[in-house]
């Protein structure tokens, strides 16, 4: 049987795969937690999510899918608002009860008579944010270059300008990767090895720049344990 997790982007998939690998090692579950495939939405929209779910519904039988997870950013929405979006998309594709919370399965049925379980999780820190918000929270080494952006932000605001928190977090992570975690050798190929565009390299070779035991990851770990 297969377990599928739908994510918003390539970098979300890279991070979630690394998390699953960590959980397999740390919690020693039998059978191990595993994700067989990652369906990328490449940015979130109602239409894209419905299309992805329809494709999965058509594949349920031949792919022998048992459990489906949906992971999307909470951004600046509330959990009820995000649940409303996900439920609206689900009801366009499956016969199912509504999701009333994250990290809980509901039973879904497709037109071809196949059944599966589905749950969702919203990437966040303290009820807001996205992947970069989480990455900023779980940095594991000293980050003087990135932290100096706080002074830059204060300077910007003193000039009557502003940068929203989402864009600030993205900027912070980019500086953290480029200057706080990049070796002199890696800086010769900074675009490929020290940036979010090279996130696959970062997560393969430098997992220790993140604190995988940070409490900010507890809810996400709980979500993945549903797939044991």
């Amino acid at each position: 049987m297969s377990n599928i997790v739908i994510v918003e982007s390539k970098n979300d998939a890279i991070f979630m795969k690394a998390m699953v690998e960590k959980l397999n090692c740390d919690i020693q579950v039998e059978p191990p937690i595993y994700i067989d495939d990652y369906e990328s939405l490449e940015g979130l929209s109602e239409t894209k999510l419905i299309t992805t779910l329809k494709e999965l519904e058509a594949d349920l039988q031949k792919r022998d899918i048992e459990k489906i997870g949906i992971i999307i950013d909470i951004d600046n929405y509330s959990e009820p608002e995000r649940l409303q979006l996900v439920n609206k998309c689900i009801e366009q594709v499956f016969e199912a009860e509504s999701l009333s919370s994250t990290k809980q399965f509901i039973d879904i049925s497709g037109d071809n008579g196949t059944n599966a379980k589905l749950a969702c999780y919203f990437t966040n820190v303290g009820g807001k944010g996205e992947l970069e918000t989480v990455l900023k929270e779980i940095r594991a080494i000293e980050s003087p270059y990135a932290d100096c952006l706080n002074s830059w932000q204060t300077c910007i605001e003193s000039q009557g300008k502003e940068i929203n928190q989402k864009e600030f977090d993205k900027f912070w992570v980019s500086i953290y990767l480029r200057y706080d975690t990049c070796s002199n050798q890696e800086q010769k190929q900074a675009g490929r090895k020290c940036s979010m565009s090279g996130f696959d390299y970062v997560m393969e070779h430098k997992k220790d720049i993140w604190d995988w035991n940070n409490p900010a990851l507890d809810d996400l770990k709980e979500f993945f344990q549903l797939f044991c």
Side-chain angles (χ1 to χ4, degrees), residues 162-179:
E162 64 178 48
I163 180 170
N164 64 43
Q165 192 61 46
K166 179 174 182 172
E167 293 305 317
F168 181 81
D169 289 347
K170 287 180 180 292
F171 195 19
W172 190 99
V173 171
S174 71
I175 297 300
Y176 180 66
L177 294 179
R178 176 66 177 84
Y179 295 103

Side-chain angles (χ1 to χ4, degrees), residues 80-174:
E81 287 172 329
R82 273 308 198 217
L83 284 169
Q84 183 179 25
L85 169 68
V86 174
N87 281 323
K88 186 176 181 180
C89 296
I90 292 171
E91 69 182 19
Q92 297 295 315
V93 182
F94 298 106
E95 291 184 13
E97 60 185 297
S98 295
L99 289 162
S100 59
S101 64
T102 61
K103 301 178 295 180
Q104 291 187 359
F105 279 123
I106 58 171
D107 294 317
I108 58 174
S109 299
D111 290 339
N112 55 13
T114 53
N115 301 301
K117 293 184 178 295
L118 184 147
C120 70
Y121 175 78
F122 305 136
T123 304
N124 76 96
V125 175
K128 299 291 181 182
E130 57 180 352
L131 176 61
E132 281 84 357
T133 315
V134 174
L135 294 178
K136 181 172 180 285
E137 185 72 16
I138 66 169
R139 48 64 181 300
I141 65 174
E142 292 185 0
S143 50
Y145 285 96
D147 288 340
C148 280
L149 290 174
N150 293 321
S151 297
W152 171 82
Q153 185 179 32
T154 299
C155 178
I156 289 292
E157 291 172 349
S158 72
Q159 301 298 316
K161 306 295 183 180
E162 64 178 48
I163 180 170
N164 64 43
Q165 192 61 46
K166 179 174 182 172
E167 293 305 317
F168 181 81
D169 289 347
K170 287 180 180 292
F171 195 19
W172 190 99
V173 171
S174 71

Side-chain angles (χ1 to χ4, degrees), residues 18 25-26 32 43-44 47 59 80 122 149 204 213 220:
C25 178
D26 294 341
L44 181 64
T47 301
D59 286 349
F122 305 136
L149 290 174
E204 180 179 354
N213 295 314
L220 180 58

